[in-house]
Amino acid sequence: MYSLSEENYLKAIYHLSNHGQDSVNTNAIAEEMKTAPASVSDMIRKLSKKKLVDYQKYRGVNISTKGKDIALKVIRKHRLWEVFLVEKLNFHWDEVHEIAEQLEHIQSPVLISKLDEFLDFPKHDPHGDPIPDDDGNFATVKKEPLSEIEEGKSCKVVAVNDSNSAFLKYLDKVGISIGTSIHINERIEFDGSMEITLNKEKSLTISQIAAQNLLVTTA
């Protein structure tokens, strides 16, 4: 059994480390957790004693296989709860993150297994992020920012790189969601904005920032 704080740190380290592949410095962890570097150092020592991370001075923090497994279980619960909140309780996708942050620490494997079955084993959460299975495996889709797609090309929205409420509400307002088909009509050199057509029907202009935070696939 691990504390809520320990699980949150492991999840943050996992994300910052590019799914456990890279070392993470303590300043990056402090920024992600919105806390002081001294507090991070204390937690890293605790996690090291439990063999959840490996820390070497000047080299940063590496999450262990055991720590990665715990992080993936928390992520799995978070994303399953987001699906439940949107599909079964009719929450909007911009409302579910903070609620799922609380629900992700429930410790009953049986409950999560039944939740997964009840939802018919979803592969992605409402924001397009993959849901790990009980063994920590998840499907990967090659995706890139909309801002990188060439003029004249078409693509499909598969995820968002920024799931903050303001951005998701903006997407709702302009009619963009997971699965939306987008054609790039023109790239504006002056400010990096893009003129696009949604689902072969609606045309609009989106900013460079919005385009950078929409992840698409051309396959």
Side-chain angles (χ1 to χ4, degrees), residues 1 3 22 26 37 51 63 65 72 74 84 90 94 99 125 135 143 161 168 174 178-179 187 192 204 207 216:
M1 186 74 69
S3 71
D22 306 321
T26 53
K51 303 190 182 304
I63 192 167
T65 299
L72 283 167
V74 176
F84 175 77
N90 299 317
D94 62 282
I99 303 171
D125 73 8
D135 296 319
K143 52 196 175 186
N161 199 35
L168 297 179
V174 299
I178 304 302
R187 300 171 65 94
L204 72 150
S207 68
V216 302

Side-chain angles (χ1 to χ4, degrees), residues 124-138:
H124 298 87
D125 73 8
H127 310 111
D129 292 315
I131 299 174
D133 64 19
D134 200 37
D135 296 319
N137 302 312
F138 54 87

Side-chain angles (χ1 to χ4, degrees), residues 50-99:
K50 295 183 178 183
K51 303 190 182 304
L52 301 175
V53 300
D54 176 45
Y55 173 68
Q56 296 183 35
K57 199 171 184 180
Y58 306 119
R59 291 190 178 183
V61 179
N62 288 285
I63 192 167
S64 70
T65 299
K66 183 179 178 182
K68 183 178 176 181
D69 288 344
I70 294 166
L72 283 167
K73 287 188 184 303
V74 176
I75 292 166
R76 167 175 163 78
K77 289 184 284 186
H78 181 103
R79 294 177 180 172
L80 282 172
W81 283 120
E82 286 195 336
V83 174
F84 175 77
L85 290 166
V86 169
E87 291 190 358
K88 304 303 179 182
L89 298 186
N90 299 317
F91 279 85
H92 291 112
W93 66 338
D94 62 282
E95 299 174 316
V96 297
H97 180 73
E98 290 187 3
I99 303 171

Side-chain angles (χ1 to χ4, degrees), residues 171-183:
L171 294 181
D172 282 338
K173 183 176 181 179
V174 299
I176 297 175
S177 60
I178 304 302
T180 296
S181 172
I182 294 179
H183 181 77

Side-chain angles (χ1 to χ4, degrees), residues 5 14 22-23 34 38-39 56 61-62 85 110 118 137 169:
S5 182
Y14 173 79
D22 306 321
S23 297
K34 296 179 175 58
S39 298
Q56 296 183 35
V61 179
N62 288 285
L85 290 166
V110 175
F118 177 67
N137 302 312
K169 286 179 179 178

